[in-house]
Structure formats: structure tokens, C-alpha cells
Amino acid sequence: MAILFFGTGGLAALATGFYSEPLSAAGVGFAVCMTSLLVHEAAHLATLRLVLRDAQAGEANHSLANVWVTGPRLQGLQTVATAAAGPVLGTASCAVFLLADAPGWIVLPLAAVHAANLLPLFPDGRMLLLGIGQIFVGMTGRNGRDQAGRGAAPAVHDAEW
């Protein structure tokens, strides 16, 4: 994901060349990218903990090129809220940079990457689709627990965003 963010920002900078000082453009791009990425993942983690009412649930993980959150399996609205929180708040953090007069040619492509995470091509979008399916197909009962024999989701220990 980080490669996608940096690649998008870098391509926008190369394509437009608006900044007279490339180092300045790179600094703004880096600030927008890192802030929005951290907000995106923190939103997943905070929402996960909120919907489970457990301040210790889930954890942030990272590799050289990616950041993600893992946590216990969620159901229905819990899944929808947790999956959507990252892309929505990541996009909103980009809007804050626009309000602070960061150039749109830097901010808008990064905001678009966050918004695109709602598509099923990405893990957030797949989790969102799963949660919607759980709600509308009846994969969970009224108490939010799996209903055996009614297409219940398999018992998986961790979900990843």
C-alpha cells in the first residue's frame, strides 16, 4: 500500500512539475502520504476497539512496504464500520491538507487512493463487502453470533485490514 501511495504522489509530481522546488513538493507529498496512511490505519484500529468495546483488541503491523491492522473476527455492522473507517478517515485527512493550502495535485491523487480502498479489489473493500453480505444475507443472528448451518463465516482467528 505504501508503494501505491508514494508511486501515486511521485507520478503526480513528475506529471505536473508545479513546484519550483522539487524538494518542497517532495516534503509536502511525504507529509500528506504518511499522515493519511497513519490516520487510515489508526482509524481501523480505533474503530475495531470501539465496536468490540475492548481497548486491547487488535494490533498494528508493518513491513518495509506496508502497514495493516489485525484483530479478531467481526460480524455484520462491526465489519462494515471497521473496514470503512480507514478509507473514509484517510480521505478526510487529505481534505484537511487541502484546507491548509497543500496543492491539490499532491493531495487529490492520495485521497483517491484512500477512496479506492473501498473497492473490492483491496482488502478494505473485500472486508466491507463481507460485512454487507453478513448483514443482508443473514450470516449472523440478532445477537451477532454465527448461525450454524446458515452460511456462517468460517471460524478464522484473525481478520486483516
Side-chain angles (χ1 to χ4, degrees):
M1 185 55 64
I3 292 170
L4 183 60
F5 277 109
F6 287 116
T8 303
L11 288 175
L14 287 174
T16 58
F18 280 120
Y19 264 46
S20 60
E21 297 179 33
L23 190 56
S24 178
V28 171
F30 183 78
V32 174
C33 182
M34 290 308 296
T35 301
S36 66
L37 183 60
L38 291 173
V39 166
H40 180 120
E41 295 306 328
H44 284 311
L45 187 58
T47 304
L48 172 75
R49 291 175 174 179
L50 182 67
V51 299
L52 292 177
R53 296 184 179 114
D54 180 357
Q56 302 300 315
E59 64 182 25
N61 302 285
H62 66 89
S63 68
L64 213 53
N66 206 352
V67 179
W68 66 94
V69 171
T70 57
R73 182 71 131 185
L74 303 174
Q75 296 296 322
L77 285 175
Q78 293 175 327
T79 305
V80 169
T82 303
V88 169
L89 291 178
T91 302
S93 71
C94 289
V96 170
F97 277 94
L98 278 177
L99 293 173
D101 287 334
W105 65 271
I106 293 174
V107 177
L108 294 176
L110 294 169
V113 171
H114 284 291
N117 271 268
L118 293 169
L119 298 173
L121 297 167
F122 299 97
D124 293 343
R126 287 191 293 274
M127 294 303 291
L128 183 63
L129 194 58
L130 173 67
I132 291 169
Q134 290 171 335
I135 293 167
F136 290 106
V137 178
M139 292 175 73
T140 59
R142 291 183 184 175
N143 62 4
R145 297 177 191 251
D146 288 345
Q147 298 293 308
R150 291 193 55 212
V156 175
H157 179 68
D158 287 337
E160 181 177 308
W161 283 273

